Amino acid sequence: MTATLTANSYGKSRVRLTKVVRHPAPSQRHDVYEFTVDIALAGDFADSYTAGNNTKVVATDSQKNTVYVLARENDFDSPDAFAKLLATHFVDTYPQVTGADVRVHQTLLTRVALEGKPHPYAFVGGSNEARTAHCRVDASGTRCSGGISGLVVLKSAGSVFVDFVDDRFRTLPDTTERIFATTVEANWRFTSVEADFNACYKAVRPVFIEVFAEHHSLAVQQTLLEMGKAALDASDAIDQVDLEMPNQHRVPFDLKPFGYENDASIFVTTDEPAGQIRGTVERT
Amino acid sequence: MTATLTANSYGKSRVRLTKVVRHPAPSQRHDVYEFTVDIALAGDFADSYTAGNNTKVVATDSQKNTVYVLARENDFDSPDAFAKLLATHFVDTYPQVTGADVRVHQTLLTRVALEGKPHPYAFVGGSNEARTAHCRVDASGTRCSGGISGLVVLKSAGSVFVDFVDDRFRTLPDTTERIFATTVEANWRFTSVEADFNACYKAVRPVFIEVFAEHHSLAVQQTLLEMGKAALDASDAIDQVDLEMPNQHRVPFDLKPFGYENDASIFVTTDEPAGQIRGTVERT
Amino acid sequence: MTATLTANSYGKSRVRLTKVVRHPAPSQRHDVYEFTVDIALAGDFADSYTAGNNTKVVATDSQKNTVYVLARENDFDSPDAFAKLLATHFVDTYPQVTGADVRVHQTLLTRVALEGKPHPYAFVGGSNEARTAHCRVDASGTRCSGGISGLVVLKSAGSVFVDFVDDRFRTLPDTTERIFATTVEANWRFTSVEADFNACYKAVRPVFIEVFAEHHSLAVQQTLLEMGKAALDASDAIDQVDLEMPNQHRVPFDLKPFGYENDASIFVTTDEPAGQIRGTVERT
Amino acid sequence: MTATLTANSYGKSRVRLTKVVRHPAPSQRHDVYEFTVDIALAGDFADSYTAGNNTKVVATDSQKNTVYVLARENDFDSPDAFAKLLATHFVDTYPQVTGADVRVHQTLLTRVALEGKPHPYAFVGGSNEARTAHCRVDASGTRCSGGISGLVVLKSAGSVFVDFVDDRFRTLPDTTERIFATTVEANWRFTSVEADFNACYKAVRPVFIEVFAEHHSLAVQQTLLEMGKAALDASDAIDQVDLEMPNQHRVPFDLKPFGYENDASIFVTTDEPAGQIRGTVERT
C-alpha cells in the first residue's frame, strides 16, 4: 500500500490575551481587550509529517509568543485588525508559510458607569456573546470577515409556523403563537481589508436585534433572511452575510391533565433538540 | 454488620420553566420569566430506601409537574417568590414532607429598546450572570435568601497585593499594579419571608459593582468585605451576606526575552488555577 | 450599622498537576498521576479582610507552588495520600492556619496493553469518571475521605417504580420496565488516616457496579441503600458512605401516533430534568 | 440594494435516542444504543426564506419524530447504518430534498462483566470518547464516513521535539523528553456504502492506540501520519483518513527556584493553549 499526505495544517489554538491600553490625561481611560486567538498555518511542512524533520516548523509555542509580542508592539482597536496583523505576519515572515488563518474571539466587557459617568478602568463582563474576526492570507490575497457569536434573543409574540408538510411523521400542530428564541451566529465578509471594522460591527449588531424584534415571523428561515438583508443594508463595507440561527424551543407544557387550557403561558425550556437554520445572503 | 440510613433526601433538579405573562392594553407588555428549579425534599421516606415501598413517595416526575402547574396557578414576580411558593406547597400538601429546599436560578433577559422605547415582547439574553433564590421550609419555619451568580467584573487599576508571607514557597513578587478580575457569587439572607425581594436585588447588585470599581483594593479579601458591608447598608431587608470571589488571574506575559520591559500591558488570560476567596458578613 | 466578618476562608483551586514516576529496570514502568487540587485554608486571616494587611496571608500563588514542590519531594500512590500530605503541611507549617481542607480529583488513566502486555508508559484516558479524595486537618484532628465522581451506569432491565403517591400532580404511570441510568457520586469516610486508601477504592468500586447490575430495583432509593451497605461490607476501613444518584431519565418516546405500541424499546435520552436521590449509610 | 439567498440548509440537531434491542433466549442479552443525531437538509426551500411559505418544509419536529420512528421500524447495528438509513429516507421520501447530511454521535457503553461473565443488560459509560458516523446523500450519490471523537491518549516517554525554527519568537528549548498527550479526532472515508462499518471501527481504533504508544515521535505531525497510514493498512474498506490531534501540553513546572533540577517529573496540566495538528492521508 502507498499512502500520501494530501492535506495538512497546524497552529496554536486558544491563545488567550488580555491587553490594557492606558490613555494619557486628561481621560486616563483604560481600554481592555480580551481575545482568544486560533492560528492555522499551511505551507511547506510535509517533512515534519513524513520524516519528523522540523527545520521549517514554527513551533506552536513560538506562535503563542508571537500573539503576545505583536500585541505589545502594535496598536489595534478591533479583533479584526489583530487577526489581520497576525495572519499577515506569518505569511510575510516565513517563506515556508503559504497560508495563514487567524481567528479572534473577543469576550465583551462593558464599561461600568457610575452616576452616568463612564468609569476609567472598571468593567462588567460575563456574557456568552462575543465578537469574532477571521482573516485569511494566502497566495490569492487577504480576506477578512467579522461576526457575532452567541447573541441570544427571544420574543414571546410575533412568530407563527403553519402549513408545513403534513405526513405520517408530523405531530406538531400549526402554531399561531409561539416563543421564538435563538442564538445568532453571524459572519460577514468585508469587501476590503481596509474596511472600518468597528463601524460595521456597530451598524450590524443593532440591526439584527431590531429586525428580530420587529419582523412578523412566518418561519425562522424568513426572519434569518430579513436579518441578513438588513445587515447588508446597514453597512456597505460587506457583501455577504452568513447566519446560523438554531430554533431553541420552548415547548408548551400540556396543562390539560391538570384541568387548564393550554394558553401559551407555560413552557418547558429546552436546549435539545434544536432546529438548526442556516442561510447565506449576498449583495447582488 | 449492621448499617443504617442516617440521612436522605430526594427531589427533582434542573426543571426548566419559561412563563409568559401578558399584560392587558394599553401596555400589552409581556413579562417573561426563565427559571431553573431544583427541589429537595426530606421527610418520612426511609421505607423507599429500605423496602422499595414508595407509597409515601411524591415522584420526582410529579414534582416536575408541580413546578409547571403552580406557575400556571399563581402570580409571582421574582424567583424568590416562586421558590417560597413551591417550598411551602410541598410541606403543606404532604404530611410526610418535613423539609423542603427549593432553589431557583433565573436566566436574565433584558428587554429590547428601539429608539429608546421598551419593546413589548422582545428580549436579549445570553449572560452567564443569573439571579438566584433559595427557600427552605421545615419545622423551624421558613427562610429565604436571594443571590447573584456569575457576575463578572474586572478592573485594570486600583488593585495591589503586597507584604504577604515570604518563605521558600513564594515566587510571586509584590504587585502594585494588577488586573483584578472575579466572578461574584453572592447570597443574602432575608430577615423576613415577607421582604421585598425585588427591591433588595435592585439595591444590592449596583452596590456590588460600585464598590468593586471604586474600592482601592489591598487584597481580594478586603474588597469582598467592603462589598458585603455595602450590601447590608443598601438593604435593611437582609442581615447576612455570603460572598465567594475567585481571583481569576491575568498573568503578566514575560516580555523580557523579547527585549521589552514588563509594563503591565500584556497578560495571559487564565481560568485555572484561581484563588478562591470567601467571606460571610453579618449585621450586628 | 455595624457589620462583622463571621466566617472566611481562602485558597487556591483548580491546581492541575501531572507527576511522572519512573521505576528503574527491570520494569522501567512509568506511573502517571493527574490531579486537580483545591485548597481552602481557615485561620487568623481577618486582618486581610478588615485592613488589607496581608502579613499572615500565604498567597494562593505560594499554595500553588506548594502543590508542585511537595509533589516533587514526596512519594505517594493515591489522591488520598497527597491530600493528607498537603493538608497536614499547611497546618503544620503556618501557625496562623488552623484548618486546611484539601480536595484532590484524579483523572483516570488506563495503561495501554499490547498483545496482553502492559505498556510501560502509554495510557488511554478520556473518562468523566474520577477518583476523589478529601482531607481536613484542624484542631479536632485529621479526617480523610475518598470517593468516586462521575461513574455512569445504565441498565435496561431490573428496575420498576410503582405505587407512589397518586394525586392531582401525578401523570406518570406505574412502570414495570424502565431504563435505570445514573451517575454515581460517592464519598466514604475512613475510620483512620492510616487506612489503605487504594485497597478500599479497589474494593468499593466494583461492588457499586455489581450491586447496581444485580439488584432488582423497586426505587433508585432502594438501590442506593444497597450499594452503600455493600460498600461498608466490602471495606472495613470505612464507616460511612454518602451516595448521590441522579435518576437520568430515558423517557419513552410515544409511538402510538405512528401506529405502534409502546414496547420499551425507543427512548428520548435526557439530561434534564433529573431526579436527585441522596442517602448516607453508616455502620452501626 | 438587491440581496440574494445564495445558500441555505436546515434540520434538527441534537436529537438523542436510546434504543434497547432485546435478544431472545437463550442469551436474553440486551443491546443498548445511545445516539445523538444531527440532520441538515438542502433542497427547494427558498420560499420559506423569501416568503415564509412552508408548504415544502418538513418541520424539524417531524425530522425528530422520524429519528425515533425509523429507529423503531428498522434493525441496525452501527451509527453508520443508522446515519445511512436516515439520510436515504429524507432524499427518497421528499422530492424537494436534494441533499441530506446526517451525523450520528454514539456514546459508548461497556457491558458489565461479573466474574468474567458478560451481564445481559447492565453497562458502564461515562467516557468522552465517542464513535461517530456521517452519511451524505445527494445527486452525486451516497457517501459514508466513520470516526472516533475524544480518544484521549498520553505517553510519558518516546516523544521529542527538536530543531524547529529558531528566531526571535522562540523561547522553547529543544525537548528530548516530554509528555505527549492528545485527544484524537479521526474520520475515515468508506469506499463503499456497503462496507462493514463495525469491522472497520474494530480494526482501526486499536491501531491508533498501538501506533501512538509504539511510535518514537519526532513531532506530533509525524505520529499523526503514522497513525493515518496504519489505519489504511488495517482496513481496506477505507481510502482516506482525516486526523486532528491537539498537542495538549503538560508544561514542566520550573523547580529551580525551589532548589531542584527540572527532571521531567513535575508538570502543569493545561487545556489551553493547545497545538492543533491536522492531516489527511489517502491511499494511492
Side-chain angles (χ1 to χ4, degrees):
Chain A
M1 186 203 71
T2 318
T4 310
L5 180 74
T6 55
N8 71 82
S9 76
Y10 82 105
K12 200 70 154 194
S13 62
R14 297 173 64 184
V15 182
R16 293 175 65 187
L17 160 71
T18 298
K19 179 172 182 179
V20 179
V21 178
R22 292 175 176 78
H23 297 277
S27 86
Q28 296 191 301
R29 178 171 56 91
H30 291 194
D31 289 330
V32 177
Y33 298 96
E34 297 215 303
F35 290 161
T36 301
V37 179
D38 293 332
I39 300 163
L41 304 182
D44 182 11
F45 300 116
D47 278 3
S48 177
Y49 289 81
T50 56
N53 176 342
N54 300 315
T55 54
K56 291 184 176 165
V57 172
V58 182
T60 65
D61 191 75
S62 301
Q63 296 178 29
K64 177 205 70 183
N65 287 342
T66 302
V67 169
Y68 295 104
V69 172
L70 294 197
R72 169 65 183 73
E73 293 179 341
N74 294 276
D75 291 329
F76 49 84
D77 65 356
S78 69
D80 314 75
F82 193 56
K84 186 171 72 166
L85 172 67
L86 279 166
T88 304
H89 164 84
F90 287 113
V91 172
D92 286 358
T93 305
Y94 304 104
Q96 66 272 41
V97 175
T98 56
D101 278 277
V102 175
R103 292 170 195 275
V104 177
H105 176 279
Q106 181 178 23
T107 302
L108 302 179
L109 295 171
T110 302
R111 190 176 296 274
V112 167
L114 298 179
E115 296 175 8
K117 206 178 133 193
H119 196 278
Y121 55 72
F123 302 86
V124 173
S127 178
N128 282 317
E129 185 185 333
R131 180 174 168 187
T132 61
H134 174 207
C135 185
R136 176 168 177 81
V137 178
D138 60 22
S140 68
T142 302
R143 277 139 297 155
C144 292
S145 61
I148 290 173
S149 174
L151 169 57
V152 173
V153 284
L154 176 151
K155 64 184 194 180
S156 52
S159 170
V160 308
F161 186 54
V162 301
D163 295 335
F164 43 93
V165 169
D166 192 6
D167 66 357
R168 78 169 182 115
F169 295 103
R170 174 173 168 178
T171 53
L172 188 71
D174 277 8
T175 313
T176 54
E177 185 155 38
R178 64 173 184 173
I179 292 180
F180 180 5
T182 189
T183 301
V184 180
E185 304 289 324
N187 288 286
W188 46 81
R189 188 174 68 188
F190 291 106
T191 54
S192 159
V193 299
E194 305 300 331
D196 184 336
F197 304 123
N198 286 339
C200 178
Y201 173 76
K202 280 173 198 157
V204 168
R205 186 182 180 278
V207 153
F208 282 154
I209 294 170
E210 181 179 342
V211 173
F212 175 81
E214 294 285 281
H215 179 248
H216 182 74
S217 175
L218 302 178
V220 174
Q221 285 88 333
Q222 190 195 24
T223 304
L224 180 151
L225 179 58
E226 289 305 308
M227 288 168 64
K229 287 162 72 175
L232 292 173
D233 268 341
S235 170
D236 55 18
I238 59 177
D239 65 357
Q240 187 188 72
V241 180
D242 277 313
L243 285 161
E244 186 166 326
M245 287 169 50
N247 194 353
Q248 296 173 312
H249 307 294
R250 303 301 187 273
V251 180
F253 181 79
D254 187 7
L255 290 163
K256 285 191 180 157
F258 309 97
Y260 301 101
E261 285 305 300
N262 290 318
D263 57 359
S265 68
I266 304 294
F267 299 85
V268 180
T269 319
T270 65
D271 283 332
E272 61 188 17
Q276 198 69 16
I277 318 299
R278 300 182 185 87
T280 303
V281 195
E282 290 192 51
R283 196 186 303 276
T284 48
Chain B
M1 185 203 71
T2 317
T4 309
L5 180 73
T6 54
N8 71 82
S9 76
Y10 82 105
K12 200 71 153 192
S13 62
R14 295 172 65 184
V15 182
R16 293 175 64 189
L17 159 72
T18 299
K19 179 173 182 178
V20 179
V21 178
R22 293 176 174 79
H23 298 278
S27 86
Q28 296 191 301
R29 179 170 56 90
H30 290 193
D31 288 330
V32 177
Y33 298 95
E34 298 215 303
F35 289 162
T36 301
V37 179
D38 293 333
I39 300 163
L41 304 183
D44 182 11
F45 300 116
D47 278 1
S48 177
Y49 289 81
T50 56
N53 176 343
N54 300 316
T55 53
K56 291 185 177 165
V57 172
V58 182
T60 66
D61 191 75
S62 302
Q63 296 178 28
K64 176 205 72 183
N65 287 342
T66 303
V67 169
Y68 296 104
V69 172
L70 293 196
R72 169 65 183 74
E73 293 179 341
N74 294 276
D75 292 328
F76 48 83
D77 65 356
S78 70
D80 314 74
F82 193 56
K84 187 173 70 168
L85 172 66
L86 279 165
T88 304
H89 164 84
F90 288 113
V91 172
D92 287 357
T93 305
Y94 304 104
Q96 68 271 40
V97 175
T98 56
D101 278 278
V102 176
R103 292 170 195 274
V104 178
H105 176 278
Q106 180 178 22
T107 303
L108 301 179
L109 295 171
T110 303
R111 191 175 296 272
V112 168
L114 298 179
E115 296 176 8
K117 207 178 131 193
H119 196 279
Y121 56 73
F123 303 86
V124 174
S127 179
N128 282 317
E129 186 185 334
R131 180 173 167 187
T132 61
H134 174 206
C135 185
R136 177 169 177 78
V137 178
D138 60 21
S140 68
T142 302
R143 277 139 297 154
C144 293
S145 61
I148 291 174
S149 174
L151 169 57
V152 173
V153 284
L154 177 151
K155 64 184 194 179
S156 51
S159 170
V160 309
F161 186 55
V162 301
D163 294 336
F164 43 94
V165 168
D166 192 6
D167 66 358
R168 77 168 181 114
F169 295 103
R170 173 173 170 179
T171 55
L172 188 71
D174 276 9
T175 313
T176 54
E177 186 155 39
R178 64 172 184 172
I179 292 180
F180 179 5
T182 189
T183 301
V184 179
E185 304 289 323
N187 288 286
W188 46 82
R189 186 174 69 188
F190 291 106
T191 54
S192 159
V193 299
E194 306 300 330
D196 184 336
F197 304 124
N198 286 339
C200 177
Y201 174 76
K202 280 173 198 156
V204 169
R205 184 181 181 278
V207 153
F208 283 154
I209 294 170
E210 180 178 343
V211 173
F212 175 82
E214 294 285 281
H215 178 249
H216 182 72
S217 175
L218 302 177
V220 173
Q221 284 88 332
Q222 189 196 25
T223 304
L224 180 150
L225 179 58
E226 289 304 308
M227 288 167 63
K229 287 162 73 176
L232 292 174
D233 269 341
S235 170
D236 55 17
I238 59 178
D239 64 356
Q240 187 188 69
V241 180
D242 276 312
L243 285 160
E244 186 167 327
M245 289 169 50
N247 193 354
Q248 297 173 310
H249 308 293
R250 303 302 188 270
V251 180
F253 181 80
D254 186 8
L255 291 162
K256 285 192 178 157
F258 309 96
Y260 301 101
E261 284 305 300
N262 291 318
D263 58 359
S265 68
I266 304 294
F267 299 84
V268 180
T269 320
T270 65
D271 283 332
E272 58 185 20
Q276 198 70 14
I277 317 299
R278 299 181 185 88
T280 302
V281 194
E282 290 190 53
R283 197 187 302 277
T284 47
Chain C
M1 186 203 71
T2 318
T4 310
L5 180 72
T6 55
N8 72 82
S9 77
Y10 82 105
K12 200 70 154 193
S13 62
R14 297 172 64 184
V15 182
R16 294 175 63 189
L17 159 72
T18 299
K19 179 173 182 177
V20 179
V21 178
R22 295 176 174 77
H23 297 278
S27 86
Q28 295 191 301
R29 178 170 57 90
H30 290 193
D31 288 330
V32 177
Y33 298 95
E34 297 215 303
F35 290 162
T36 301
V37 179
D38 293 333
I39 300 163
L41 304 183
D44 183 11
F45 300 116
D47 277 4
S48 177
Y49 290 81
T50 57
N53 176 343
N54 300 315
T55 52
K56 291 184 177 165
V57 171
V58 182
T60 66
D61 191 76
S62 301
Q63 295 178 29
K64 176 204 71 182
N65 287 342
T66 302
V67 169
Y68 296 105
V69 172
L70 294 197
R72 168 66 183 73
E73 293 179 339
N74 294 276
D75 292 328
F76 48 84
D77 65 356
S78 69
D80 314 74
F82 192 57
K84 186 172 70 167
L85 172 67
L86 279 166
T88 305
H89 164 85
F90 287 112
V91 172
D92 286 358
T93 306
Y94 304 104
Q96 68 270 41
V97 175
T98 57
D101 277 277
V102 176
R103 293 170 195 274
V104 178
H105 176 279
Q106 181 178 23
T107 303
L108 302 179
L109 295 171
T110 303
R111 191 176 295 273
V112 168
L114 298 179
E115 295 176 9
K117 206 178 133 193
H119 196 278
Y121 55 71
F123 302 86
V124 174
S127 179
N128 281 317
E129 185 185 334
R131 180 173 168 187
T132 60
H134 174 206
C135 185
R136 176 167 179 80
V137 178
D138 60 22
S140 68
T142 302
R143 278 138 296 154
C144 293
S145 61
I148 291 174
S149 175
L151 169 58
V152 173
V153 284
L154 177 152
K155 64 184 193 179
S156 52
S159 170
V160 308
F161 186 55
V162 299
D163 294 335
F164 44 93
V165 169
D166 192 6
D167 66 358
R168 76 169 183 114
F169 294 103
R170 174 174 169 179
T171 55
L172 188 71
D174 276 9
T175 313
T176 54
E177 184 155 41
R178 64 173 186 173
I179 293 180
F180 179 6
T182 189
T183 301
V184 180
E185 304 288 324
N187 288 285
W188 46 82
R189 187 174 68 188
F190 291 106
T191 53
S192 158
V193 300
E194 306 300 332
D196 184 336
F197 304 123
N198 286 339
C200 178
Y201 174 76
K202 280 173 198 157
V204 169
R205 186 181 180 278
V207 153
F208 282 153
I209 294 170
E210 180 179 342
V211 174
F212 175 81
E214 294 284 280
H215 178 250
H216 182 73
S217 175
L218 302 178
V220 173
Q221 284 88 331
Q222 190 196 24
T223 305
L224 181 151
L225 179 58
E226 289 305 308
M227 288 167 64
K229 287 161 72 176
L232 292 173
D233 268 341
S235 170
D236 55 18
I238 60 177
D239 64 357
Q240 186 188 71
V241 180
D242 276 313
L243 284 161
E244 185 166 326
M245 288 170 49
N247 193 353
Q248 298 173 311
H249 307 294
R250 303 303 187 270
V251 181
F253 181 79
D254 186 8
L255 290 163
K256 287 193 177 155
F258 310 96
Y260 300 101
E261 285 304 301
N262 290 318
D263 57 358
S265 68
I266 304 294
F267 299 85
V268 180
T269 320
T270 66
D271 283 332
E272 59 188 17
Q276 198 70 16
I277 318 300
R278 299 181 184 88
T280 303
V281 195
E282 290 191 52
R283 195 186 304 277
T284 47
Chain D
M1 185 203 74
T2 318
T4 309
L5 181 73
T6 55
N8 71 82
S9 76
Y10 82 105
K12 201 69 154 194
S13 62
R14 296 172 64 184
V15 183
R16 293 175 64 188
L17 160 72
T18 299
K19 179 172 181 179
V20 179
V21 178
R22 293 175 175 79
H23 297 277
S27 87
Q28 296 191 300
R29 179 171 56 91
H30 291 194
D31 288 329
V32 177
Y33 298 95
E34 297 215 303
F35 290 161
T36 300
V37 179
D38 293 333
I39 299 164
L41 304 183
D44 183 11
F45 299 117
D47 277 3
S48 178
Y49 289 82
T50 57
N53 177 341
N54 300 316
T55 53
K56 291 185 177 165
V57 171
V58 182
T60 65
D61 191 75
S62 301
Q63 296 178 30
K64 176 205 70 183
N65 288 342
T66 302
V67 169
Y68 296 104
V69 173
L70 294 197
R72 169 64 183 74
E73 293 179 341
N74 294 275
D75 292 330
F76 49 84
D77 65 355
S78 69
D80 313 75
F82 192 56
K84 186 172 71 167
L85 171 67
L86 279 166
T88 304
H89 164 85
F90 287 114
V91 172
D92 286 358
T93 305
Y94 304 104
Q96 67 271 42
V97 175
T98 56
D101 278 277
V102 176
R103 293 170 194 275
V104 177
H105 176 279
Q106 181 179 22
T107 302
L108 301 178
L109 295 171
T110 303
R111 192 177 294 275
V112 167
L114 298 179
E115 294 175 11
K117 205 178 134 194
H119 196 277
Y121 55 73
F123 303 86
V124 174
S127 179
N128 282 316
E129 185 185 334
R131 180 173 167 188
T132 60
H134 174 207
C135 184
R136 177 170 176 79
V137 178
D138 60 21
S140 68
T142 302
R143 277 139 298 153
C144 292
S145 61
I148 291 173
S149 174
L151 169 57
V152 173
V153 284
L154 177 152
K155 63 184 195 180
S156 52
S159 170
V160 309
F161 185 55
V162 301
D163 294 336
F164 43 93
V165 169
D166 192 5
D167 66 358
R168 78 169 182 112
F169 295 102
R170 173 172 169 178
T171 53
L172 188 71
D174 278 8
T175 313
T176 54
E177 185 154 40
R178 63 173 185 173
I179 292 180
F180 179 4
T182 189
T183 302
V184 180
E185 304 289 323
N187 287 286
W188 46 82
R189 188 174 67 188
F190 290 107
T191 54
S192 160
V193 299
E194 306 301 331
D196 184 336
F197 304 124
N198 286 340
C200 178
Y201 173 77
K202 281 173 199 158
V204 168
R205 185 182 180 279
V207 153
F208 282 153
I209 294 169
E210 180 179 344
V211 174
F212 174 82
E214 294 286 281
H215 178 249
H216 182 73
S217 175
L218 302 178
V220 174
Q221 285 89 331
Q222 190 195 25
T223 305
L224 180 152
L225 179 58
E226 289 305 307
M227 288 167 64
K229 287 162 74 175
L232 292 173
D233 269 342
S235 169
D236 54 19
I238 59 177
D239 65 356
Q240 187 188 69
V241 180
D242 276 312
L243 285 160
E244 186 166 326
M245 289 169 49
N247 193 354
Q248 297 173 310
H249 307 294
R250 303 301 187 272
V251 181
F253 181 80
D254 187 8
L255 290 163
K256 286 193 178 157
F258 309 97
Y260 300 102
E261 285 306 299
N262 291 317
D263 57 359
S265 68
I266 304 294
F267 299 84
V268 180
T269 319
T270 66
D271 283 332
E272 58 186 20
Q276 198 69 16
I277 317 299
R278 299 181 184 88
T280 303
V281 195
E282 290 191 53
R283 195 186 304 276
T284 47

